Each structure stands twice: as structure tokens, then as C-alpha cells.
Amino acid sequence: MQKSEAIPSGQGPSPTPLVSQPDGVGERGKTTRVIPIVALNSGEAEVARQMQICNACRYCEGFCAVFPAMTRRLEFGKSDVHYLANLCHNCGACYHACQYAPPHEFGVNVPKAMAQVRLETYSEYAFPAAFGALYRRNGVTLSIALAAGISLFLLLGLGLRGGLAPSGAPADFYAIFPHNLLAVMFGAVFLFAALALGIGVRRFWRDVAPGTASVPAVSEAARHALTLKYLDGGHGEGCNEADDAFTLARRRFHHLTFYGFMLCFGATVVATLYHYAFGLEAPYPVLSVPVVLGVLGGAGLIVGPTGLLWLNVRRDPARTDTRQRPMDRGFIALLLLTSASGLGLLACRTTAAMPTLLALHLGIVMALFATLPYGKFAHGIFRSAALLKSSIERRERNTLSLGSE
């Protein structure tokens, strides 16, 4: 279906090039812009329906970034729905405050509707496109990736050294797996993950028509993402989890998980710098920078994911998409296994168990990297893009002038 009239920026797909209509259609000799109308699926239509109701009520404008962004729109096209869905942090404040939530006949449940669309975002923008289905079968994908990763490193260890037994100095990881081999293998998987996520979010960014990013907008979006501002419920007291009580637990466990991950990544970067810039090869002393960063990061990746798993189990199923639980818990499990196997390897690096523990740890890390573009990790990338879009939009003139802005 096509329609020959303009639509507001940010609603629906980008316009197609100018084309001339044939005689008998419109005014003869006029050039017009033909804009395809993209039909909404059932999940997207449900978000649009609820946003229309919320746009008339506006009780929740101060809760998070979703509702101020909503007030800038009178209609909600496909790209608007996906933008708002990824801007939602699923804190639950609007659901518990809503007078139109079930069992009301309007059935407004914004967190659940948004969560369902987010899964569609990840699938639709996946690269390669055929891999989008992996989000819906993430539990199976995770199992296969984990088994394949561990098996690969066990086989490599057996093949390269004739068996997983120490053959060099104590704690000499490179006596089991040569450094260059590890660099090539993990570098290839990491680059693919970065490429897949980058292409996916670039497509998303293009479709939501973000506008021009200024330094203040980028700074604000980064601050909101790094502090998880919108997990405070809009009042600073936190999210709703199992009931009406507010708690900052989800925000704190997310911080422990994210910054624990970044500390581990920092440990890898410092170790790489030691190796290539200073010629210092692993193993490093216990009080060296890479080891200290790794231990602190590993501890964060034990406490944070454990807390998130506890909250995930307790969360009210009425306001979330239960189809995503295998994806959520699979990612949490991989983070826990990565940190636990890494800390275990550090503790036993001078023992005969080191080669086997090393192979297990590397296999788990390989599975984590391989599933990054097709699992829960993607939500952080798309949400950061939505936050940047929100910060850009807030600095633009609101032509509707109907809301708090």
C-alpha cells in the first residue's frame, strides 16, 4: 500500500525518492513523494494502542524518558514503536501506577507490551538477518555454543600438546595454548560480534530518524546509560519487582554486572598492553594490575548476575515477556560461568588442574563472545541508541506543545 503525502519525521520508514505519477493519478505534471506505509504486526499495534491511551492520560510523564518522548507524537508508526520500546527500562512504575491496567477493560500494560516488541527489534535488526531467529531459540543456541566452545578448546589442547597436562612452567597458559592462536581465534569472534551488533544498531538508528547528535546530547545519553538513571522509577526509590514495593536492587545489580564486565575487559586490555608494548608475558603476579582488575571484575560478575537471576525469578510475570526468560537466564548463566571459571583458574593456576580449567574457561568465554549479538547483551546496545535519540529529541523544538515540554 502506498500513500502520496508527507508524514512527520521519525514516524514510519524514510521517504523514497521523488517519483512522477502517471497521467490520471493526482494532478497531471506534478511530482510527488511516494511513501510506503509499513503495517504494524500485532505486538507493535498493541504498543501503539496503549500509547494512544497514555497520550490522553499523561499521569506517568515524570516516570521515565518514554512518556516525554510519547508526548511528541500523535500517531505511532513502526519506527516510533521500536524506539519507545527500547527506551523503556521495564522498571514497572507505570504499570503499578496505572488506573487502566488489567483488569480494567483498556488492559494497559506498557512494560509487557514494550518487552514483547524489544524481542522483535533484536530479531528484525539482527545481522546476518537469518540469525534473527536465534533470539527466539536462545536457550538452544546457548547450549550449542557453550558445548562447541568447550569442546573446541579441549580438542585444541589435546591436539597441540598431546594431552591436557602441564608441559612448561607453572601457570604458563601459553604452554597449553599459544598466544598467537588465542589472539587470532578470540579476535575473530570478537570482531564478528562487534560487526554484527554495529550493523544491527546502525539500521535501527537510521530507521528511527535520530537527528543530529550534539556534544551535550551525547554526554547526557552516556550519563543516563552509565548511571541507569531510568531504573530509579522516576522518583529515586527504584523499580517494582514482585509487588508494589520500590527497590534499587535491580539498578545496583546491573551496575555490579556492567562494571564487573568492564573491569574484566580492562584486565584483558592491560595484559595485551603488557604483552605487546612491554614484552611482559603472562602469568602475572597476584598484585599486578591485570590480576587485580580481573579479580575485582570477577567478583562483580558473581554478585551482580546472581542478584539479577534472583530478581528475574521473583519478577511478576504479568508485566514482562516470559518468552525472553531463557535468553535472560542464559546470558546470566554465561556471565556466572565466565567469572567462576576465571577465578577458579587463578586460584589453581600452579596446580595440575590448570590446563583443564584453562580449556574450560576459554571455551566458556568463547561461547559468551559468540552469543553476544544474539542474546541479552544486545539490549544494552539498542537501549543506549534509544537514549541518545531521546537526548537529541529533547533538544529539538516540540511542534505539538501538548506535554510537559
Side-chain angles (χ1 to χ4, degrees):
M1 179 177 179
Q2 291 185 326
K3 186 176 181 181
S4 301
E5 61 182 45
I7 59 176
S9 174
Q11 298 196 20
S14 300
T16 56
L18 293 174
V19 298
S20 295
Q21 288 185 331
D23 290 346
V25 180
E27 298 182 40
R28 184 172 303 186
K30 293 289 181 101
T31 300
T32 185
R33 187 183 300 275
V34 177
I35 302 175
I37 302 299
V38 181
L40 304 182
N41 62 31
S42 59
E44 294 161 347
E46 177 61 14
V47 169
R49 181 190 74 85
Q50 294 191 26
M51 288 293 96
Q52 295 283 5
I53 296 171
C54 294
N55 227 351
C57 173
R58 307 215 173 175
Y59 180 82
C60 299
E61 278 189 70
F63 284 169
C64 70
V66 170
F67 298 99
M70 173 198 71
T71 64
R72 289 175 168 266
R73 294 157 173 82
L74 294 179
E75 297 178 325
F76 301 91
K78 186 181 183 72
S79 61
D80 297 311
V81 168
H82 282 269
Y83 159 52
L84 294 174
N86 284 277
L87 196 55
C88 172
H89 287 53
N90 199 20
C91 76
C94 60
Y95 174 74
H96 287 270
C98 183
Q99 60 184 321
Y100 301 122
H104 191 280
E105 60 182 333
F106 286 178
V108 173
N109 188 340
V110 172
K112 184 171 185 174
M114 295 290 196
Q116 291 171 340
V117 168
R118 279 195 296 275
L119 182 60
E120 295 172 7
T121 300
Y122 310 150
S123 300
E124 289 185 17
Y125 290 100
F127 175 84
F131 284 16
L134 295 180
Y135 283 106
R136 302 180 185 276
R137 297 193 298 269
N138 192 262
V140 176
T141 303
L142 174 65
S143 300
I144 294 173
L146 183 58
I150 294 175
S151 299
L152 173 63
F153 277 98
L154 288 171
L155 290 172
L156 279 174
L158 290 169
L160 290 171
R161 290 292 177 267
L164 286 173
S167 58
D172 186 359
F173 299 156
Y174 300 145
I176 307 298
F177 300 109
H179 177 273
N180 290 340
L181 174 66
L182 294 179
V184 169
M185 294 184 63
F186 279 94
V189 175
F190 180 79
L191 288 175
F192 172 77
L195 177 67
L197 285 169
I199 291 176
V201 79
R202 180 179 178 274
R203 292 172 176 169
F204 171 79
W205 187 250
R206 177 193 62 206
D207 286 350
V208 299
T212 303
S214 62
V215 173
V218 172
S219 176
E220 180 184 72
R223 184 172 68 255
H224 289 172
L226 294 174
T227 62
L228 294 175
K229 172 179 171 59
Y230 296 114
L231 284 183
D232 68 356
H235 38 59
E237 297 181 36
C239 302
N240 300 102
E241 292 298 332
D243 49 38
D244 287 338
F246 300 118
T247 174
L248 288 168
R250 186 156 161 249
R251 188 182 191 183
R252 290 166 178 161
F253 287 137
H254 266 91
H255 277 146
L256 284 167
T257 301
F258 174 74
Y259 290 108
F261 183 88
M262 294 307 296
L263 284 172
C264 290
F265 183 75
T268 303
V269 171
V270 173
T272 301
L273 183 66
Y274 277 13
H275 185 91
Y276 288 105
F278 304 114
L280 301 174
E281 295 188 356
Y284 301 113
V286 172
L287 296 180
S288 64
V289 175
V291 174
V292 170
L293 290 177
V295 170
L296 293 175
L301 284 179
I302 291 288
V303 178
T306 299
L308 291 176
L309 180 60
W310 174 65
L311 291 176
N312 186 275
V313 171
R314 296 178 65 247
R315 185 165 302 136
D316 181 4
R319 65 172 183 84
T320 190
D321 182 9
T322 55
R323 296 175 303 167
Q324 296 187 43
R325 283 185 170 175
M327 178 173 71
D328 296 345
R329 296 172 185 178
F331 182 58
I332 290 172
L334 269 182
L335 290 175
L336 283 170
L337 288 170
T338 298
S339 54
S341 62
L343 292 173
L345 176 62
L346 176 64
C348 300
R349 63 179 180 171
T350 59
T351 70
M354 183 273 286
T356 300
L357 289 174
L358 176 62
L360 291 171
H361 177 64
L362 293 177
I364 294 167
V365 174
M366 178 68 78
L368 175 64
F369 279 13
T371 56
L372 284 183
Y374 311 109
K376 187 64 175 180
F377 183 83
H379 88 287
I381 307 299
F382 284 96
R383 182 162 292 156
S384 296
L387 284 168
L388 180 55
K389 158 78 172 174
S390 173
S391 293
I392 293 171
E393 195 172 62
R394 284 157 57 91
R395 286 163 172 77
E396 297 174 342
R397 181 171 173 265
N398 185 356
T399 57
L400 296 179
S401 299
L402 298 175
S404 60
E405 297 184 351

